[in-house]
Structures are given as C-alpha cells and as structure tokens.
Amino acid sequence: AQTVTQSQPEMSVQEAETVTLSCTYDTSESNYYLFWYKQPPSRQMILVIRQEAYKQQNATENRFSVNFQKAAKSFSLKISDSQLGDTAMYFCAFMKRYSGGGADGLTFGKGTHLIIQP
Amino acid sequence: EAGVTQFPSHSVIEKGQTVTLRCDPISGHDNLYWYRRVMGKEIKFLLHFVKESKQDESGMPNNRFLAERTGGTYSTLKVQPAELEDSGVYFCASSQDRKAGVETQYFGPGTRLLVL
C-alpha cells in the first residue's frame, strides 16, 4: 500500500513571495503518477500539476513547478510570485499505473492549507 | 463542457436514515471514482467504476454503502442506515479511458454529509 505525507498542515506567505510545499511518499511501485491538486475555499478541487514517475524532467505549469526526487520519494510543489488566488488547500496525491494503461484510485496526503497574505 | 457535478451539495440526516448521493461525470468519461474525506483525515478512495462495472471497491467501509452506475453514466452512492462516523465530504471524480494514457481525474464539488 502507498502512503503520502504532507508535513506542513498550514503555511502563510506574503503575496509575490515564492513558497514550497513538501510531499513525500512511500511505495514499492516503479510505475506511477504524482499529482498536486488545489481546493480553493469554493470547494471544487482542481489539478495543479502532474508528474509521470518515468520522466526525469520536473513538470512545470506557469508559476507552478515541482521538484521530483524519485530516489528520495519526494515531490514538492513550488509556487512562484504567489497571488491571493493561490490561497487554498493543496493536496499531494499518488496513483499507481499499470503497464496496460490502467490505474488505481488516488492516495492523498492530508493537505496543506496555504494562505497568501496581501 | 460541463464538469463533474454532484447532488446534493449538502445533506443533514439523522442516524439510521438513508441518504443517496449522485454524481454525474464528464460526458464520455468511462472511469468514475468515489472518495470521502472525514474531518481532519485524508481523502480516502472508496471505489472505482469502469463504465457500469465496479473495477475496485476495496475502499468501501462496510456493507452499509452501496454504489451503482446505471448504464455507465451517472452514479449513486447510498448509505443505509447512516451512522455518525459517515459524516464527511464525499467527492466524485471522473477520467477518460485508461488506455488512452490520460489519467487525470477531474473532481466534483463534493457532497457534505452530516449525520446527527
């Protein structure tokens, strides 16, 4: 079974600062995906960024980037030039992928509540 | 294109009553997932449908929970009888065909269930 750990229950930074959210995971699988989801106060959870485990290059989506360290089983999210709209719960998630293209449900961490201060 | 929708958004029931939650996935998505977040805990996987078939229901807490997906379209999750520990937020998510290699799950807004 997989586990995902987010060690920062809450973080607060000033607008325009850079913030890094940590995530570690434990698995014996070699083929998997990692995700960061964001849930703003309005409740709809949306995908921020996705990383395939077989790719060495870190994924980037505009101001969001990850630091994927497969050997260390670490998957941190960096938000550059943070904005007020980035205030949300951020969830790190793991998904095992099968060779035939299938996948399991997601395993989530407990989440990090990120607050961007004006 | 409409996203994943869930109904109701909130439900307050008494212990012992029955509640049915509904999820409408994104059109064309074969995969449908149910998750639950109990207060202060992680979001937990409940089960996974591929079209109308249950692919994995290993996360279902007990036999008071029954999920169906009629005709491979919308899905319902019924809790009967509800207990206090069933309170939480129930999320539904959908994704395209696994073989297409697109594994991203798109989530609905969730149903907040409170059992008194």
Side-chain angles (χ1 to χ4, degrees):
Chain A
Q2 289 70 233
T3 59
V4 177
T5 302
Q6 294 179 249
S7 59
Q8 304 149 314
E10 186 170 292
M11 296 185 70
S12 181
V13 299
Q14 296 294 122
E15 193 176 8
E17 289 184 346
T18 293
V19 59
T20 299
L21 309 183
S22 66
C23 172
T24 58
Y25 60 95
D26 189 24
T27 184
S28 58
E29 305 294 336
S30 59
N31 198 2
Y32 53 87
Y33 294 100
L34 294 164
F35 301 85
W36 279 97
Y37 279 90
K38 164 186 175 181
Q39 187 178 25
S42 60
R43 296 193 296 135
Q44 189 95 30
M45 192 148 51
I46 57 175
L47 177 70
V48 175
I49 200 164
R50 179 179 86 174
Q51 175 82 42
E52 286 95 319
Y54 65 86
K55 290 186 177 179
Q56 292 186 336
Q57 186 173 6
N58 289 324
T60 299
E61 288 288 341
N62 301 313
R63 297 182 296 107
F64 298 87
S65 62
V66 298
N67 183 5
F68 174 46
Q69 301 290 328
K70 190 172 183 179
K73 294 179 183 174
S74 172
F75 183 62
S76 61
L77 174 70
K78 185 172 82 171
I79 305 173
S80 303
D81 185 27
S82 58
Q83 301 174 359
L84 297 179
D86 296 333
T87 293
M89 280 292 292
Y90 285 80
F91 295 98
C92 179
F94 172 102
M95 182 167 67
K96 175 183 174 181
R97 188 177 188 278
Y98 295 92
S99 57
D104 283 341
L106 294 163
T107 299
F108 284 91
K110 285 189 175 182
T112 296
H113 185 205
L114 177 64
I115 300 168
I116 309 299
Q117 305 277 8
Chain B
E1 180 181 301
V4 178
T5 58
Q6 293 186 245
F7 182 84
S9 59
H10 294 78
S11 181
V12 181
I13 61 173
E14 293 187 350
K15 175 182 173 180
Q17 289 186 323
T18 298
V19 63
T20 300
L21 314 180
R22 173 171 169 145
C23 168
D24 286 79
I26 293 172
S27 177
H29 280 194
D30 288 338
N31 296 289
L32 188 150
Y33 303 81
W34 283 99
Y35 295 86
R36 176 175 75 171
R37 188 183 188 198
V38 173
M39 182 70 72
K41 306 260 183 163
E42 298 93 338
I43 300 169
K44 291 285 192 183
F45 166 79
L46 296 179
L47 88 158
H48 170 209
F49 284 99
V50 177
K51 296 183 180 179
E52 68 275 8
S53 300
K54 291 177 184 175
Q55 182 74 16
D56 180 0
E57 52 184 332
S58 61
M60 294 289 263
N62 50 61
N63 59 11
R64 295 186 294 102
F65 289 75
L66 175 64
E68 294 179 326
R69 189 179 184 192
T70 307
T73 55
Y74 70 91
S75 174
T76 58
L77 180 64
K78 183 163 71 174
V79 185
Q80 179 182 30
E83 298 290 343
L84 300 180
E85 64 265 25
D86 300 332
S87 296
V89 182
Y90 290 77
F91 292 101
C92 175
S94 71
S95 69
Q96 291 179 321
D97 181 10
R98 289 173 156 185
K99 295 177 183 177
V102 179
E103 306 293 357
T104 298
Q105 294 181 27
Y106 297 90
F107 281 78
T111 294
R112 292 184 181 276
L113 174 64
L114 179 59
V115 182
L116 301 175

